[in-house]
Amino acid sequence: MINTPPLPEEMGKVYDAQAIEQALYDWWEAQGYFQPKIDPDQEPFVISMPPPNVTGALHLGHAITAAVEDALIRYYRLTGRPTLWVPGSDHAGIATQNVVERELAKEGITRHDLGREKFVERVWEWKKVFHERITNQHRRLGVSCDWTRERFTLDEGLSRAVREAFVRLYERGLIYRGAYLVNWCPRCGTAISDLEVEHEEQDTSLWFVRYWTEDRQRYITVATTRPETILGDTAVAVHPEDERFKDMIGAKVRVPFVDRLVPIIADEAVDPSFGTGAVKVTPAHDPTDYEMGQRHHLPMINVMNDDMTMNANAGPYEGQDRFECRKNIVQDLQEMGDLVKIEPYHHSVGVCQRCDTIVEPRISTQWFVRMKPLAEPALEAVRDGRIRIVPERFAKVYYEWMENIRDWCISRQLWWGHRIPVWYCENCDAEVCSRTDVTECPECGGPVHQDEDVLDTWFSSALWPFSTLGWPEETEDLAYFYPTSVMETGYDILFFWVARMIMMGLEMTGEAPFHTVYLHGLIRNEEGKKISKSMPDAWRYDPLYMIDEYGQDALRFTLLTGSTPGNDMKLSPARVESNRNFANKIWQAARFVLGNLEDRAAEFVPPKTLDPSAEMDLADRWILSRYHGLVAEVRRLIESFQLGEAGRQLYEFLWGEFCDWYIEMTKVRLRDADQAEADMARRVLVYVLQGSLHLLHPYMPFTTEAIWQYLPHQGEALIVSRLPEAGAVDAEAEEQMGGIMELIRAIRNARSEYDVEPARRIAAVIVAGEQADVLRGQAAVLELLARVDGTKLRIERELDSPPAKALTLVVPGYVCYLPLADLVDLEKELARLNKELADLDKEIARTDNLLNNQNFVSRAPADVVQKERDKRADYVERREKLQERLTSLA
């Protein structure tokens, strides 16, 4: 362990993120600050990191996840609770296999050329490289997770958890295997779940096709968007109340090309307004048709192979690609005279989430989880408040999805992933599901082979909160850190992941896996567009580029303060740059404080609480009260997951009240007062700054730790210190100082309006009523901050009459008179204003002549005419203001 933080002996002139951040991170990790100690007397705070896929570089989605979770972790660590953040990564079955297969293609080979075992070895090699890269990138994001507890979804322990969960569900009858309609991606070569299908609006066609009765005396015309599936039709359906087809229900018609007689059935699922009101029914290739086929006991005929070429059931089209087949069928129908018409049609088409290939619904033998029995307890856990969803509006979305949940297809035709723990006997057809590998049939002793498929990636991810803590073993970590506290992730995977974790957690452990679900939104560019690699300036939004350019603290502060739960945020690099300036502002404030402690820093180690008292200067009472109010409010906001608002209040307090006001106020006492008064200012400066650093640490951990190490302090590091408690507030001091600040602002605004040189001091007569003594006590502050001449400053309770030729400023509690002769040279100012007034009168006359000219108004373009009208309005407004100024000077 290196006890001394890796910082220069003296603070640099500016905050240097590149020199400070990585060195501090390495020091924190080496010190073991990220590792919690189990304390049975305290409730831990635990987050399971959403495991990034081992498929490439981190992006802004990971950055906001890291920022939010690290902010919560650092905050609760500062409360003294044992705080655990479990990191890890996901094997990402389809995504990772696809990436590695693309790499193999560059070598001119396929996974089949290698064979399963060698291919999986290649994926492990690839994983090793990219896992290390992603881990290092996460460190660049500043995540204070416990790397000693890092997990990977294909780790031995997690693989054992996956088997245990599968077997338990299998034994309960909640996992089953069968031939059902699934979503099939021909590019990925596997079944995918409903959630892995995205829907795109596409312009296609609607083909109207005749189906003739067996005697060819009558026909019925159906409309379809997929003519290639005609070959798998097993019925034609109409609505039972559709009078147009009453006499045809029960009749049989012949399917073109395959010479199959199929019945005309009546079913309420048919929309009479679609097409002709009659639809073809292909139970093996359409979800609605599948349900209809179940109701009417129709045969299911699959007409496609895994690669979406047509199979033997497609008759003369066998071997053709599905879209080639579509084209040929349409052409053949035209030649037969049975293509009635073609209409343009706009509709939603399902595509694979990972590769954008059009998904084909098809009958396939797969493994499924029965979801209804798992969904009911998960619904109840949110309804009864055991789990809270932030923001609350997503609870309704959660209810709707869970109440209408369908069985989950969990098998994938891949090689990379958790292989399904089921073995089949080659002699007696026994099916064995086992926690351990099976070498022979338990029924007959015959040879067995394991199911070739692997589990959906989300199956192992659903176990993440407890499998990472050692489940199914009864480990010390599981007993103490489970259930976890918060699950923070993007709203886009509420169903993919969060709902499944809740279901699995309740089923496997009997407890909800976390008490709060915090959902963040998506990151978009400043125009609100989705950030993609194809954008010409996409590099500007690379989090690692932003960290190199502006520092990690600037990026994370921007992400945290620019977002609210569940809402997308617009990210501008300019805002990141602005927040880098904020970090430097605090750095400069700390340099000022340290510079005024001289060689006596040890005398100013702040107490736990410093409350405002009557003997203190008003400025001290005011900033202490404002600071104590901030402590209470920021803690309340963070604990209610309003991280953005808490960060914004910290920004406003530190930049505005502390730096721009209080530090400036203390300069009078630090320069002119006796040592006791100056030391009180020093004491308050250190107390408020150091306490504010604690509050800001979850947002800007590096800046705050570095400054804290330079300030007088107790303890090793800010990261493992304790949050301040809210001390006493002083409403009277806040009101009194608030009035003085308003007065200073009013004088500053007047100076600006009259273009008074910054260095010039002016006279002021202030009627302060009952606040006269208070204001006299702050006269030096007033002189400094409003640039008032102390020899020409009068503070009175009341005046018999206001001074002549003076600008009057009225703010709550005060009336201030600023003699105009002190603000401007009256003769020169009057001459300047009269000249400006004459120039404006000429411009107004010019525009009036133009606008009164009908030839101009009728013939000039409308925007040109409007431009002249806008100019005239601006001239008139400026003239009125000049006239007011002239009147005030007269």
Side-chain angles (χ1 to χ4, degrees):
M1 292 177 65
I2 307 167
N3 292 322
T4 306
L7 296 169
E9 191 171 328
E10 293 184 1
M11 287 188 78
K13 291 183 178 180
V14 295
Y15 175 67
D16 185 348
Q18 299 304 319
I20 289 172
E21 292 182 349
Q22 192 59 49
L24 267 183
Y25 186 89
D26 294 341
W27 179 69
W28 283 331
E29 188 177 356
Q31 294 296 100
Y33 294 147
F34 302 161
Q35 301 169 36
K37 293 180 174 61
I38 292 176
D39 181 353
D41 295 328
Q42 291 200 76
E43 179 187 355
F45 181 83
V46 186
I47 293 179
S48 299
M49 177 189 289
N53 295 346
V54 285
T55 50
L58 298 185
H59 51 69
L60 280 171
H62 299 106
I64 192 169
T65 297
V68 172
E69 293 180 18
D70 197 40
L72 292 171
I73 286 292
R74 289 179 184 272
Y75 174 82
Y76 281 98
R77 187 184 289 125
L78 289 170
T79 67
R81 287 171 62 178
T83 303
L84 173 62
W85 189 9
V86 182
S89 51
D90 197 302
H91 68 280
I94 294 179
T96 303
Q97 179 159 319
N98 282 349
V99 171
V100 177
E101 286 195 73
R102 283 198 292 271
E103 293 299 310
L104 292 178
K106 295 175 184 177
E107 302 171 24
I109 58 175
T110 70
R111 62 178 167 124
H112 300 286
D113 295 328
L114 288 178
R116 184 169 195 147
E117 187 176 338
K118 291 292 183 183
F119 175 76
V120 170
E121 287 177 7
R122 283 288 295 265
V123 183
W124 274 108
E125 291 171 7
W126 192 90
K127 175 264 176 190
K128 183 179 179 181
V129 173
F130 278 85
H131 169 261
E132 184 176 347
R133 183 180 301 181
I134 286 170
T135 299
N136 290 335
Q137 288 174 349
H138 252 133
R139 285 182 162 91
R140 291 287 309 281
L141 294 175
V143 296
S144 60
C145 52
D146 185 353
W147 292 107
T148 67
R149 288 179 165 91
E150 185 184 7
R151 298 291 181 265
F152 177 58
T153 49
L154 281 176
D155 283 348
E156 183 180 344
L158 273 68
S159 296
R160 186 165 63 253
V162 167
R163 278 212 180 177
E164 178 66 29
F166 186 98
V167 173
R168 287 192 190 186
L169 293 171
Y170 182 93
E171 291 174 347
R172 279 200 58 198
L174 295 177
I175 281 184
Y176 63 94
R177 182 174 184 251
Y180 297 92
L181 193 75
V182 298
N183 306 295
W184 187 268
C185 174
R187 163 62 187 80
C188 298
T190 182
I192 58 176
S193 70
D194 292 342
L195 289 176
E196 294 168 292
V197 178
E198 294 181 346
H199 290 84
E200 295 179 353
E201 294 297 315
Q202 294 187 5
D203 291 314
T204 59
S205 298
L206 193 60
W207 288 273
F208 291 76
V209 182
R210 288 193 187 98
Y211 283 51
W212 291 90
T213 56
E214 188 174 9
D215 59 8
R216 290 192 65 85
Q217 297 302 304
R218 294 188 300 170
Y219 63 82
I220 189 168
T221 303
V222 303
T224 180
T225 59
R226 297 159 68 211
E228 67 277 13
T229 62
I230 286 174
L231 306 169
D233 288 355
T234 55
V236 169
V238 298
H239 194 278
E241 296 178 7
D242 193 333
E243 295 296 331
R244 295 172 295 177
F245 304 109
K246 284 279 189 184
D247 63 333
M248 295 198 74
I249 295 173
K252 290 189 175 183
V253 290
R254 195 175 298 279
V255 177
F257 310 115
V258 290
D259 202 30
R260 182 186 308 123
L261 282 174
V262 299
I264 298 175
I265 61 174
D267 196 286
E268 292 184 349
V270 178
D271 178 4
S273 65
F274 174 78
T276 63
V279 295
K280 55 188 281 310
V281 182
T282 320
H285 289 283
D286 182 88
T288 303
D289 293 4
Y290 177 82
E291 298 294 335
M292 209 181 297
Q294 296 292 299
R295 288 192 292 273
H296 295 273
H297 308 291
L298 300 174
M300 294 182 287
I301 301 174
N302 176 23
V303 296
M304 297 182 197
N305 299 310
D306 289 356
D307 61 357
M308 293 303 101
T309 56
M310 309 307 290
N311 63 23
N313 292 327
Y317 303 97
E318 182 180 0
Q320 296 180 12
D321 172 77
R322 55 179 166 164
F323 297 121
E324 179 189 5
C325 175
R326 175 184 294 182
K327 178 182 175 182
N328 291 333
I329 279 182
V330 169
Q331 182 177 333
D332 291 345
L333 285 169
Q334 284 177 319
E335 291 175 0
M336 291 162 53
D338 287 332
L339 184 64
V340 179
K341 61 178 176 177
I342 304 173
E343 290 183 354
Y345 190 62
H346 184 80
H347 70 133
S348 179
V349 176
V351 299
C352 175
Q353 180 196 51
R354 290 177 178 83
C355 65
D356 292 329
T357 303
I358 293 178
V359 167
E360 188 68 41
R362 67 190 290 253
I363 295 295
S364 179
T365 299
Q366 303 289 341
W367 287 93
F368 297 85
V369 177
R370 299 185 200 280
M371 300 303 284
K372 286 286 185 186
L374 298 174
E376 285 302 324
L379 275 165
E380 192 59 31
V382 176
R383 286 195 182 114
D384 65 21
R386 279 176 289 157
I387 296 176
R388 173 192 175 200
I389 297 179
V390 179
E392 189 177 345
R393 70 177 186 273
F394 279 96
K396 182 180 179 183
V397 182
Y398 174 85
Y399 295 146
E400 288 176 356
W401 188 75
M402 296 291 273
E403 287 165 357
N404 297 286
I405 199 166
R406 296 174 59 182
D407 285 357
W408 174 17
C409 176
I410 57 170
S411 49
R412 298 291 181 269
Q413 288 63 57
L414 305 170
W415 289 351
W416 174 247
H418 296 99
R419 198 160 170 184
I420 289 174
V422 173
W423 286 258
Y424 307 101
C425 178
E426 295 175 8
N427 289 346
C428 70
D429 295 329
E431 179 180 289
V432 184
C433 180
S434 174
R435 292 171 175 83
T436 57
D437 287 356
V438 177
T439 56
E440 62 178 32
C441 176
E443 301 291 331
C444 69
V448 295
H449 65 273
Q450 188 175 357
D451 196 298
E452 293 290 326
D453 292 348
V454 300
L455 286 165
D456 179 7
T457 294
W458 295 103
F459 189 92
S460 54
S461 299
L463 313 177
W464 187 251
F466 47 95
S467 64
T468 52
L469 297 173
W471 185 91
E473 307 301 323
E474 295 180 3
T475 64
E476 184 181 32
D477 274 5
L478 185 67
Y480 183 67
F481 292 114
Y482 186 82
T484 65
S485 307
V486 176
M487 173 45 61
E488 190 282 336
T489 190
Y491 66 69
D492 54 328
I493 55 173
L494 176 60
F495 308 125
F496 270 119
W497 192 37
V498 177
R500 288 166 174 168
M501 280 190 288
I502 295 172
M503 288 185 279
M504 288 295 207
L506 289 166
E507 175 66 21
M508 298 298 153
T509 72
E511 295 182 89
F514 28 75
H515 61 65
T516 301
V517 175
Y518 179 104
L519 301 171
H520 66 248
L522 306 178
I523 309 295
R524 301 184 181 276
N525 70 5
E526 51 263 69
E527 297 173 354
K529 296 178 181 176
K530 185 177 179 181
I531 299 168
S532 66
K533 293 179 182 178
S534 61
M535 293 170 58
D537 63 345
W539 57 271
R540 296 171 65 227
Y541 299 94
D542 179 346
L544 299 180
Y545 165 77
M546 288 185 168
I547 289 170
D548 288 338
E549 193 74 10
Y550 308 113
Q552 210 287 118
D553 278 358
L555 174 60
R556 69 187 288 149
F557 189 81
T558 304
L559 293 172
L560 288 168
T561 57
S563 62
T564 53
N567 294 319
D568 294 352
M569 75 166 284
K570 296 178 183 179
L571 178 65
S572 162
R575 285 174 62 188
V576 184
E577 183 177 10
S578 173
N579 287 322
R580 178 185 63 184
N581 297 340
F582 176 49
N584 202 50
K585 180 83 170 181
I586 306 164
W587 188 264
Q588 297 306 323
R591 279 172 51 83
F592 171 83
V593 173
L594 280 169
N596 280 281
L597 299 184
E598 300 163 347
D599 57 353
R600 300 164 52 221
E603 298 177 28
F604 298 99
V605 174
K608 185 176 181 181
T609 306
L610 180 61
D611 287 333
S613 59
E615 62 272 14
M616 288 180 176
D617 185 88
L618 176 61
D620 295 340
R621 291 167 54 204
W622 168 74
I623 196 66
L624 287 172
S625 182
R626 296 295 297 161
Y627 163 69
H628 288 155
L630 178 79
V631 172
E633 185 63 3
V634 165
R635 295 194 65 166
R636 182 192 70 81
L637 288 168
I638 291 178
E639 289 174 19
S640 60
F641 300 99
Q642 298 181 63
L643 301 178
E645 180 58 27
R648 287 187 286 273
Q649 291 199 18
L650 280 164
Y651 180 96
E652 290 166 7
F653 173 81
L654 279 164
W655 191 302
E657 296 181 21
F658 183 72
C659 292
D660 288 353
W661 285 100
Y662 181 68
I663 282 181
E664 296 303 313
M665 292 173 184
T666 63
K667 288 178 179 178
V668 175
R669 282 181 290 156
L670 292 171
R671 182 188 62 206
D672 302 330
D674 61 35
Q675 183 166 323
E677 289 187 6
D679 281 355
M680 179 54 73
R682 293 182 177 100
R683 205 169 306 283
V684 173
L685 280 166
V686 174
Y687 172 77
V688 173
L689 177 57
Q690 192 187 97
S692 299
L693 294 176
H694 281 85
L695 297 175
L696 187 62
H697 180 73
Y699 296 82
M700 292 184 141
F702 298 102
T703 310
T704 53
E705 179 73 77
I707 294 173
W708 188 89
Q709 292 290 346
Y710 286 114
L711 289 175
H713 63 266
Q714 291 180 329
E716 288 182 13
L718 172 59
I719 188 177
V720 288
S721 60
R722 293 292 172 267
L723 279 172
E725 299 293 334
V729 296
D730 187 333
E732 181 184 58
E734 290 195 37
E735 183 179 3
Q736 290 174 348
M737 186 53 77
I740 294 171
M741 290 163 66
E742 282 298 313
L743 177 62
I744 292 170
R745 286 192 190 98
I747 296 173
R748 285 174 169 175
N749 290 340
R751 291 176 63 99
S752 174
E753 188 177 347
Y754 281 83
D755 296 321
V756 179
E757 300 92 335
R760 184 176 179 179
R761 292 186 176 273
I762 61 174
V765 179
I766 304 170
V767 180
E770 295 179 356
Q771 297 299 314
D773 290 340
V774 173
L775 187 58
R776 289 186 189 113
Q778 297 298 310
V781 169
L782 186 67
E783 292 170 24
L784 176 67
L785 300 186
R787 307 297 290 166
V788 171
D789 187 339
T791 64
K792 297 180 181 180
L793 172 63
R794 286 175 54 198
I795 300 172
E796 306 289 350
R797 283 184 174 272
E798 55 185 40
L799 283 179
D800 292 334
S801 60
K805 290 190 175 181
L807 179 66
T808 303
L809 308 174
V810 180
V811 296
Y814 301 100
V815 179
C816 177
Y817 300 99
L818 302 180
L820 291 169
D822 250 40
L823 290 175
V824 292
D825 182 319
L826 285 176
E827 285 189 15
K828 286 184 178 179
E829 183 66 5
L830 285 169
R832 185 184 70 81
L833 292 174
N834 278 315
K835 183 179 183 304
E836 262 193 68
L837 199 64
D839 290 343
L840 278 174
D841 284 340
K842 288 179 183 177
E843 288 300 319
I844 290 171
R846 184 193 65 78
T847 54
D848 282 346
N849 288 335
L850 204 56
L851 292 171
N852 289 332
N853 184 334
Q854 287 303 309
N855 283 334
F856 170 75
V857 174
S858 61
R859 294 181 179 179
D863 61 324
V864 173
V865 176
Q866 186 59 46
K867 189 175 181 180
E868 290 299 322
R869 287 175 177 149
D870 292 343
K871 281 183 185 177
R872 187 186 189 283
D874 179 57
Y875 295 150
V876 169
E877 183 180 353
R878 285 164 56 190
R879 190 187 192 287
E880 289 173 356
K881 288 181 179 178
L882 281 173
Q883 190 62 58
E884 287 175 12
R885 179 74 65 85
L886 275 168
T887 303
S888 71
L889 294 176

